[in-house]
């Protein structure tokens, strides 16, 4: 038989193969239906060639990324004297010093046996304090990262550390309900304050250095010296800030409430009620502001800029996710927020609009800080990184 004959007269096997080429299913052939969530489906542009990482890099606005940590980064501090010096601490039990624009230099701050929860530079930039969940405060030489001394005493993890505004006196709040104070130069214990019934979650010296204000998970705010305890919140305090004249303290709580208290009389000056979920961050406006304001951020996805003369919201600024941290950019009209979606946004406090949003982090922003010359915003995140963003695009230094 010729080849042409074979092509014109298919065999039985070939006919069966051709028949199987077109298969049609009817409703009777369906055994079971499964609902598929669209979120479970891969993105159309995802592939295994690294394109996804390239796309992320294109959306990274940072000018410097520090990747020395091997765990979530919780703590952050910018030097008050060196605009390039930054300290970070995290869940890998380590702290680091690095310099913006100098990716070749980093100093590890060893010694903690648990997460580094808080960092703070002394007023003159000479010393750096690190607080850990191991209950220890360590003091380092800020220029070299050399350990100078270890301060212990608290029976629980350190929630925060702060320095006196004019001396090397360091203050720390602990999970064991206590507040501790040391002289870092003499490596000497000075005092232990006991008055809260639960973890001391936030606190600081007043700018004049005469008083200490602390807040606790028990809902109390204490102004020390004279020792007066005030219960203003129904749930624990998360954050507080003290105004430049040392006369007022603003506190935010898990219950969504914000109170402003006179530090001398202990009386509530005003209660700011607009947040519907926990208030994560509070900040008074700089003393140079023409209008006295405060900024508060919460897990209700809102930044609220308050007119303190009338105790009313001046602007309510919506975010995609919860607002985790806020800071004013020097003495300017601008403030920056860190968000649970990984973004850092800059807002004009006089107009209430977002002037810029920085992308780069892949997870929740835990803390933000501004360099001493206000040229950089630094943020740390659950994504194990610290990122640096330039403010030159929007910051009018004469504002």
């Amino acid at each position: 038989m010729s080849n042409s004959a074979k092509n014109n007269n298919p065999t039985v096997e070939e006919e069966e193969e051709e028949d199987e080429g077109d298969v049609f299913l009817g409703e009777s052939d369906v055994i079971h239906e499964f609902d598929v969530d669209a979120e479970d489906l891969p993105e159309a542009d995802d592939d295994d060639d690294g394109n996804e990482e390239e796309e992320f890099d294109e959306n990274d606005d940072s000018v410097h990324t520090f990747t020395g940590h091997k765990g979530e980064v919780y703590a952050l501090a910018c030097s008050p004297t060196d605009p390039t010096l930054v300290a970070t601490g995290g869940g890998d039990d380590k702290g680091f010093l690095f310099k913006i624009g100098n990716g070749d230099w980093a100093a590890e701050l060893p010694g903690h046996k648990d997460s580094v929860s808080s960092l703070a530079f002394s007023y003159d930039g000479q010393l750096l304090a690190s607080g850990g969940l191991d209950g220890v405060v360590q003091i380092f030489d800020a220029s070299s990262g050399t350990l100078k001394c270890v301060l212990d005493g608290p029976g629980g993890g350190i929630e925060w550390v702060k320095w006196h505004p004019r001396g090397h006196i360091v203050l720390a709040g602990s999970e064991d309900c206590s507040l501790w104070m040391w002289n870092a130069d003499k490596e000497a214990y000075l005092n232990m304050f006991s008055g809260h019934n639960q973890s001391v979650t936030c606190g600081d010296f007043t700018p004049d250095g005469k008083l200490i204000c602390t807040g606790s998970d028990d809902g109390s705010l204490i102004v020390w010296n004279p020792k007066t305890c005030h219960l203003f919140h129904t749930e624990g305090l998360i954050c507080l800030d003290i105004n430049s004249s040392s006369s007022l303290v603003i506190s935010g709580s898990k219950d969504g409430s914000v109170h402003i208290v006179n530090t001398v009389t202990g009386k509530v000056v005003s209660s700011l009620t607009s947040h519907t979920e926990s208030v994560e961050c509070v900040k008074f406006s700089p003393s140079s502001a023409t209008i006295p304001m405060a900024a508060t951020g919460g897990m209700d996805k809102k930044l609220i800029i308050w007119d303190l003369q009338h105790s009313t919201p001046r602007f309510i600024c919506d975010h995609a996710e919860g607002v985790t941290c806020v800071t004013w950019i020097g003495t300017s009209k601008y403030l920056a927020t860190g968000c649970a979606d990984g973004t850092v946004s800059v807002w004009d406090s006089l107009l209430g609009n977002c002037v810029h949003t920085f992308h780069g982090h892949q997870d929740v922003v835990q803390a933000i800080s501004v360099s001493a010359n206000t040229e950089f915003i630094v943020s740390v995140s659950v994504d194990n990184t610290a990122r640096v963003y330039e403010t030159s695009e929007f910051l009018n230094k004469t504002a």
Side-chain angles (χ1 to χ4, degrees):
M1 185 179 291
S2 66
N3 289 336
S4 61
K6 286 183 179 179
N7 292 337
N8 293 332
N9 296 285
T11 63
V12 173
E13 288 81 10
E14 289 173 332
E15 287 179 348
E16 289 178 351
E17 287 178 4
E18 287 180 1
D19 290 340
E20 291 176 357
D22 296 324
V23 179
F24 299 95
L25 296 177
E27 292 186 4
S28 60
D29 298 309
V30 177
I31 299 174
H32 190 75
E33 292 185 5
F34 294 92
D35 292 327
V36 178
D37 192 333
E39 293 182 357
D40 296 330
L41 297 176
E43 296 291 340
D45 56 355
D46 281 357
D47 56 49
D48 297 327
D49 298 328
N51 290 340
E52 186 176 357
E53 184 175 350
E54 290 177 6
E55 180 182 343
F56 168 72
D57 289 340
E58 291 175 1
N59 292 329
D60 187 354
D61 300 317
S62 61
V63 296
H64 185 112
T65 302
F66 179 70
T67 57
H69 286 282
K70 304 302 180 186
E72 298 180 7
V73 189
Y74 307 126
L76 168 68
C78 287
S79 167
T81 55
D82 182 347
T84 67
L85 188 61
V86 179
T88 59
D92 55 3
D93 307 346
K94 293 179 181 178
F96 287 95
L97 282 170
F98 69 89
K99 290 192 174 182
I100 299 170
N102 187 352
D104 296 331
W105 186 85
E108 183 178 335
L109 308 174
H112 284 292
K113 296 182 174 135
D114 206 335
S115 297
V116 178
S117 55
S118 183
L119 292 160
F121 284 95
S122 59
Y123 76 101
D124 54 9
Q126 294 181 3
L127 301 177
L128 173 70
S130 68
L133 295 185
D134 54 6
V136 168
V137 173
Q138 298 188 144
I139 306 298
F140 298 89
D141 178 278
S143 60
S144 64
T146 304
L147 179 66
K148 291 180 67 68
C149 63
V150 177
L151 308 173
D152 56 16
I158 303 299
E159 291 272 9
W160 51 270
V161 290
K162 298 287 184 178
W163 290 92
H164 191 276
R166 290 189 295 276
H168 287 171
I169 306 300
V170 66
L171 191 68
S174 172
E175 291 178 331
D176 70 357
C177 314
S178 64
L179 176 70
W180 291 71
M181 189 165 66
W182 301 270
N183 183 316
D185 289 332
K186 298 180 180 179
E187 304 178 24
Y189 158 81
L190 294 179
N191 208 342
M192 189 275 284
F193 303 91
S194 179
H196 292 294
N197 295 318
Q198 293 185 41
S199 178
V200 186
T201 52
C202 49
D204 203 351
F205 289 101
T206 54
D208 62 10
K210 296 179 180 179
L211 300 173
I212 297 169
C213 298
T214 57
S216 169
D217 230 357
D218 63 10
S220 64
L221 170 68
I222 296 182
V223 180
W224 304 89
N225 188 28
K227 181 178 175 182
T228 312
C229 179
H230 303 284
L231 287 168
F232 301 120
H233 300 272
T234 59
E235 294 184 40
L237 273 72
I238 297 177
C239 49
L240 64 76
D241 189 40
I242 304 165
N243 70 346
S244 57
S245 65
S246 303
S247 59
L248 300 174
V249 56
I250 183 172
S251 57
S253 170
K254 292 179 181 178
D255 62 12
S257 64
V258 176
H259 296 299
I260 297 179
V261 176
N262 185 298
T263 57
V264 177
T265 66
K267 293 183 178 179
V268 175
V269 175
S270 60
S271 295
L272 310 179
T273 55
S274 278
H275 285 289
T276 56
E277 293 187 44
S278 66
V279 178
E280 300 291 312
C281 46
V282 293
K283 283 289 181 182
F284 281 111
S285 60
S287 57
S288 59
T290 55
I291 303 170
M293 293 181 287
T296 61
M299 294 312 294
D300 56 3
K301 307 179 183 180
K302 297 183 185 302
L303 162 72
I304 301 180
I305 301 172
W306 298 88
D307 177 346
L308 295 184
Q309 289 180 328
H310 303 93
S311 299
T312 56
R314 181 179 173 86
F315 300 108
I316 297 178
C317 308
D318 293 323
H319 289 62
E321 297 294 339
V323 180
T324 56
C325 41
V326 64
T327 186
W328 293 84
I329 301 177
T331 58
S332 75
K333 63 179 179 177
Y334 297 108
L335 63 160
T337 54
C339 186
D341 67 356
T343 59
V344 173
S345 297
V346 178
W347 304 83
D348 186 322
S349 64
L350 301 181
L351 299 177
N353 63 311
C354 180
V355 297
H356 197 87
T357 297
F358 294 105
H359 298 86
H361 285 299
Q362 301 179 70
D363 213 326
V364 179
V365 176
Q366 299 272 44
I368 54 177
S369 185
V370 177
S371 63
N373 60 3
T374 70
E375 292 182 3
F376 302 102
I377 297 171
V378 187
S379 58
V380 295
S381 168
V382 174
D383 68 5
N384 303 359
T385 69
R387 294 181 184 271
V388 180
Y389 305 102
E390 285 185 319
T391 63
S392 57
E393 292 184 41
F394 59 86
L395 183 57
N396 179 0
K397 294 184 179 179
T398 62

